[in-house]
Amino acid sequence: MKLVDTKSPPHSGQSLQHPADEGMLYVPGGTFRMGSDRHYPEEAPVHRVTVDAFWMDRHPVTNRQFKAFARATGHVTVAEITPDPKDYPGMLPHMIYAGSLMFSPPAYPVSLQDFSQWWTFAKGADWRHPYGPGSDIRGLDDHPVVHVAFSDVIAYAKWAGKDLPTEAEWEFAARGGLDGAEFAWGNEFAPEGRHMANTWQGEFPRQNTGDDGYERTSPVTAFPPNGYGLHDMIGNVWEWTSDWYSPRHEADAAKACCIPENPRGGREADSYDPRTTNVKIPRKVIKGGSHLCAPNYCRRYRPAARHPEPVDTSTSHLGFRCIRRGVSNAS
């Protein structure tokens, strides 16, 4: 074993494995251009950010891994708990039940402005029953766990002795050393016709041709890793970060010497949805897009893409992965 300066990256494309935690890969620290000025307004402006080195899970946390956590701790997820009406003023009595948001494709054309046409709060949907009470996770051990709210992923991270990545750490890792590239693998979405991530092909939300081999989630190593050896940084499932959501990035400082180091996102007070007045739930940043991202809707299958997610919400296309900071030993 030898000590490694965590701000000095290994050779290009090299991934170092943490000796005490098989499945985590070394992500070198560095300065990069975060965000995008070419897509959705919340991704702007592009600005320079520096992050220290860290170790990151090679892929999203799987059903197998989450099952081990639940068995060891007895953890009950938010989706398995009946909500308290006092926390949700105006909630209709017939909607007071344990469940989670589940994608349900419509059988006919719908307006893309009305997401209620394809999302439903499904009674009995949870991580063990990803498509409702009649479903289970048999045969899905290597698929990412879904239907996990923010408190669930924090509980898992604490049990594993890890943390959630910040938005800056997550985006740096997703880029895989390709600073400024459109995608995690370069500037072409499907190089030579090859699908590089689990996304939607066809007319969202009613037609998924499944050209990439999957209509829903996929095994976490089904698609090629990025330059740091990380799988599924784009597509398959969105991933939680630890940062509070803000509607825009901070612009670069006037002086080049003042590049933010290890930024921690916005303020909780600024993360609330201004359109929701009766229920005030803070929101975190989620990253990476999912198998529901399509060219005609939600083109967020890019490292710069970001979206707000209320901390009490779980869905059928949202998971997570963990990191470990401050570890400089490498083999």
Side-chain angles (χ1 to χ4, degrees):
M1 300 296 296
K2 62 181 179 180
L3 290 178
V4 172
D5 179 356
T6 57
K7 290 189 178 181
S8 299
H11 297 299
S12 178
Q14 179 182 358
S15 295
L16 302 179
Q17 190 171 39
H18 192 293
D21 196 333
E22 183 179 357
M24 298 194 86
L25 297 177
Y26 181 78
V27 178
T31 300
F32 74 109
R33 289 171 291 169
M34 184 175 177
S36 173
D37 294 325
R38 298 190 297 270
H39 295 280
Y40 296 99
E42 70 270 11
E43 301 171 18
V46 172
H47 59 294
R48 299 181 74 198
V49 167
T50 298
V51 295
D52 290 337
F54 53 92
W55 295 83
M56 183 174 244
D57 288 342
R58 187 164 63 97
H59 52 66
V61 172
T62 63
N63 284 316
R64 177 186 289 109
Q65 292 171 309
F66 200 82
K67 188 189 306 180
F69 156 68
R71 285 175 174 170
T73 64
H75 181 82
V76 179
T77 62
V78 170
E80 299 171 273
I81 301 172
T82 302
D84 188 338
K86 291 185 295 185
D87 296 331
Y88 301 93
M91 190 176 191
L92 299 175
H94 69 275
M95 290 291 292
I96 303 174
Y97 52 76
S100 184
L101 284 172
M102 188 174 72
F103 174 73
S104 181
Y108 46 84
V110 296
S111 169
L112 293 181
Q113 306 303 312
D114 183 8
F115 62 83
S116 69
Q117 296 295 309
W118 58 87
W119 282 109
T120 181
F121 187 73
K123 185 176 184 179
D126 56 49
W127 73 272
R128 291 186 180 89
H129 309 95
Y131 312 120
S135 65
D136 57 50
I137 55 173
R138 285 179 293 182
L140 302 178
D141 276 353
D142 293 326
H143 287 235
V145 66
V146 292
H147 296 299
V148 283
F150 187 74
S151 61
D152 301 320
V153 305
I154 288 295
Y156 177 97
K158 182 177 180 180
W159 170 77
K162 303 178 185 181
D163 294 297
L164 282 187
T166 64
E167 180 180 2
E169 289 168 333
W170 194 100
E171 186 169 329
F172 182 86
R175 292 185 178 276
L178 300 177
D179 187 22
E182 188 83 343
F183 305 105
W185 49 85
N187 287 314
E188 188 177 352
F189 179 64
E192 298 182 351
R194 184 185 186 189
H195 292 287
M196 303 296 288
N198 182 359
T199 60
W200 184 285
Q201 298 87 53
E203 183 186 345
F204 184 87
R206 69 186 185 94
Q207 178 202 35
N208 186 353
T209 63
D211 290 348
D212 61 7
Y214 302 94
E215 291 190 23
R216 298 182 187 265
T217 60
S218 52
V220 293
T221 58
F223 292 86
N226 72 359
Y228 295 145
L230 302 166
H231 288 270
D232 276 2
M233 294 301 292
I234 299 300
N236 209 1
V237 293
W238 285 94
E239 297 183 17
W240 287 102
T241 74
S242 61
D243 281 359
W244 298 112
Y245 180 78
S246 57
R248 286 181 64 84
H249 288 307
E250 293 282 342
D252 278 331
K255 296 182 179 180
C257 64
C258 303
I259 298 173
E261 295 187 10
N262 303 310
R264 292 301 176 100
R267 302 187 309 155
E268 178 181 354
D270 297 329
S271 72
Y272 297 102
D273 189 340
R275 299 168 299 179
T276 305
T277 57
N278 61 324
V279 180
K280 303 290 284 184
I281 305 295
R283 299 179 296 172
K284 293 285 186 176
V285 175
I286 59 175
K287 298 282 282 183
S290 79
H291 61 280
L292 301 183
C293 285
N296 72 310
Y297 183 80
C298 190
R299 298 183 302 276
R300 291 186 170 91
Y301 32 62
R302 297 168 290 101
R306 56 201 300 268
H307 204 262
E309 187 76 6
V311 295
D312 65 338
T313 300
S314 60
T315 76
S316 60
H317 73 333
L318 171 59
F320 72 107
R321 78 178 74 207
C322 300
I323 69 168
R324 186 171 282 145
R325 303 184 184 94
V327 181
S328 58
N329 285 343
S331 54

